[in-house]
Amino acid sequence: MERILDGDQRREALLLELSGSSRPVSGTELAKRFGVSRQVIVQDVALLRATNRNILSTNKGYILFEARMEPGSCRKTLCVRHSTKQVLDEFYTVVDLGGKILDVVVEHDLYGQIAVDLIIANRRDAAEFFRKMQASRVKPLKELTEDIHYHTIVAEDSASMARIEEALFKKGYLILASDSRM
């Protein structure tokens, strides 16, 4: 893409780029496309978020999230607890039963709520996240709260959500489920 010098034009093009992508796009990739630094992209994203654009930052890059719920779909917040070794099993359980894991949230005693967008939609996403987690020296958020954490889960219908909850309960992971805030 040719270099766009005007910030407003670049941000509009950035929105178009993200809305046309079915996968997250890295800040580095966007910077190359627009002929600017990665820091300029970070600032552009912050400015777009300030105008209520729902741009998520995932470990794979930026994605424009449009909370379009299909008729009959179900969204819940699940409180879970398991070991770090069981993260991949938890993810596989959810996606194999038709769910999508949108985020992870912990309630920290000092910092309050800490939330990170995940967007785990399939086994490939789950395996990639787990591989990156194992390769890094950074501990997952859940370790800050004795492994207790929350996920916002979206499923195609309430029956699929019930199957996800039942499977997580049988594995001893599920602590609590509630309808999530939109």
Side-chain angles (χ1 to χ4, degrees):
M1 178 172 277
E2 74 180 51
R3 187 179 188 132
I4 299 173
L5 298 175
D6 178 74
D8 290 334
Q9 290 175 340
R10 185 181 57 252
R11 285 185 285 280
E12 279 300 315
L14 176 63
L15 276 175
L16 284 172
E17 187 77 28
L18 293 176
S19 67
S21 180
S22 61
R23 64 171 184 77
V25 184
S26 75
T28 303
E29 187 177 335
L30 290 167
K32 285 179 186 174
R33 287 184 190 171
F34 294 112
V36 296
S37 70
R38 189 180 161 284
Q39 186 58 36
V40 168
I41 297 298
V42 170
Q43 291 169 350
D44 283 347
V45 168
L47 288 169
L48 288 167
R49 285 178 174 155
T51 63
N52 294 322
R53 303 301 175 131
N54 201 4
I55 300 173
L56 305 181
S57 300
T58 72
N59 63 332
K60 295 175 244 169
Y62 297 110
I63 190 164
L64 185 61
F65 182 74
E66 298 180 42
R68 285 179 265 146
M69 296 279 290
E70 296 295 322
S73 64
C74 185
R75 178 182 178 127
K76 282 193 174 182
T77 298
L78 306 182
C79 181
V80 294
R81 184 179 198 176
H82 53 76
S83 72
T84 299
K85 290 179 182 178
Q86 294 169 316
V87 167
L88 188 59
D89 182 57
E90 175 202 26
F91 287 173
Y92 281 172
T93 300
V94 172
V95 300
D96 287 351
L97 293 170
K100 184 177 191 178
I101 304 161
L102 300 183
D103 59 17
V104 60
V105 179
V106 296
E107 293 289 339
H108 192 272
D109 289 340
L110 178 60
Y111 298 111
Q113 189 178 78
I114 303 170
V116 177
D117 300 315
L118 293 178
I119 318 296
I120 305 290
N122 53 49
R123 279 183 163 251
R124 186 182 67 242
D125 292 344
E128 184 179 333
F129 179 88
F130 192 73
R131 180 189 55 75
K132 286 181 179 179
M133 183 184 74
Q134 288 183 312
S136 75
R137 288 188 257 172
V138 179
K139 294 182 180 187
L141 284 177
K142 66 180 202 55
E143 290 191 17
L144 295 173
T145 56
E146 299 177 355
D147 292 330
I148 297 172
H149 58 289
Y150 301 83
H151 291 297
T152 305
I153 308 289
V154 176
E156 62 187 36
D157 54 36
S158 59
S160 296
M161 184 65 75
R163 285 190 295 274
I164 291 166
E165 290 177 70
E166 182 181 353
L168 292 174
F169 179 78
K170 284 181 179 177
K171 291 180 181 219
Y173 301 162
L174 184 66
I175 296 173
L176 177 70
S178 65
D179 292 332
S180 75
R181 301 166 299 232
M182 290 301 282

